[in-house]
Amino acid sequence: MQDTFKKYGYSFQIKLIAALFKDRLFLQQISDILNPAFMESEANQWIVETILEYFREFNTLPTLEVMKVKLDDVDGDVLKTTIVDNLKQITKHSDAPDIEFIEKEALDFCKNQTLKSAIMESVNLLQQGEYDSIKDKIDTAMKAGAERDIGHEYNIDIEARFQESTRKTVPTGWSVIDDLMDGGL
């Protein structure tokens, strides 16, 4: 049996989804280990699944406009109404003061579920004597949900690096060197 966020309550789940809409680094970190099935309601499962699909495809946070367009594909008026109501609740909780706590708890929960799943899968591998596969599964599970901030992303804000305001130069006095170094040291 797979655990869910039910033990944390409805408000926790709504704030978690609000964090997914707001915090790109958090979404990037949790996207591989967050299972929509962890959500209690079908509407929240649909919202999380849509956010994850959008993020994987476009590598950016979805907006409410995106959700509105995706909502047209949903069958069932009851589910649509519930999704719209939940999205309204999510927007109300987007600036909740405990979002950081929600993110930490959700990340810990998802990491534990990933580790639990790896351990359960390792039982069969243990019986088969595939010890290297067990090690790989456990290592992968231990790395799941790790921060992915690799530092400076070279392809983002290329032009900002070449702006005069980002670089203060000191002329060397040699015009050839100053021209070559775009103003000096």
Side-chain angles (χ1 to χ4, degrees):
M1 179 184 147
Q2 198 166 34
D3 293 330
T4 65
F5 287 122
K6 183 177 183 176
K7 65 181 181 178
Y8 293 104
Y10 174 77
S11 180
F12 178 92
Q13 294 174 50
I14 292 296
K15 289 177 183 179
L16 171 58
I17 296 172
L20 295 176
F21 272 111
K22 187 179 177 181
D23 190 348
R24 185 183 186 287
L25 291 177
F26 173 65
L27 179 56
Q28 184 178 15
Q29 187 175 5
I30 201 169
S31 64
D32 290 339
I33 58 175
L34 178 61
N35 186 346
F38 292 161
M39 294 295 162
E40 190 173 1
S41 72
E42 186 179 355
N44 285 348
Q45 290 174 1
W46 182 89
I47 293 169
V48 169
E49 186 174 337
T50 303
I51 291 170
L52 292 174
E53 286 173 1
Y54 185 85
F55 181 74
R56 288 180 186 130
E57 185 174 348
F58 299 105
N59 200 26
T60 189
L61 299 172
T63 61
L64 290 176
E65 288 80 20
V66 170
M67 300 306 281
K68 182 181 177 190
V69 170
K70 297 281 188 178
L71 191 60
D72 291 338
D73 297 337
V74 174
D75 295 330
D77 291 336
V78 175
L79 180 58
K80 275 187 182 181
T81 305
T82 308
I83 291 170
V84 169
D85 290 343
N86 286 4
L87 287 172
K88 288 177 185 176
Q89 290 294 318
I90 290 164
T91 56
K92 289 179 185 175
H93 288 51
S94 64
D95 293 328
D98 59 347
I99 289 286
E100 194 173 317
F101 169 77
I102 301 287
E103 290 176 354
K104 181 188 174 307
E105 284 295 313
L107 198 56
D108 288 344
F109 175 84
C110 290
K111 284 179 181 179
N112 289 339
Q113 290 304 308
T114 303
L115 184 59
K116 177 181 171 182
S117 176
I119 290 170
M120 297 303 279
E121 292 172 13
S122 296
V123 172
N124 294 333
L125 295 173
L126 182 62
Q127 292 172 346
Q128 297 170 0
E130 296 183 26
Y131 302 109
D132 289 337
S133 297
I134 294 171
K135 181 186 178 305
D136 291 340
K137 281 207 176 294
I138 299 298
D139 285 346
T140 303
M142 293 300 289
K143 293 176 187 171
E147 280 192 47
R148 297 194 181 152
D149 184 14
I150 57 172
H152 179 73
E153 291 189 32
Y154 187 77
N155 292 331
I156 297 176
D157 294 329
I158 293 173
E159 292 181 16
R161 288 193 300 275
F162 293 106
Q163 289 179 352
E164 200 64 39
S165 63
T166 60
R167 186 169 177 263
K168 295 179 182 174
T169 60
V170 177
T172 62
W174 298 316
S175 61
V176 176
I177 301 294
D178 290 342
D179 290 340
L180 183 66
M181 298 174 67
D182 199 20
L185 300 172

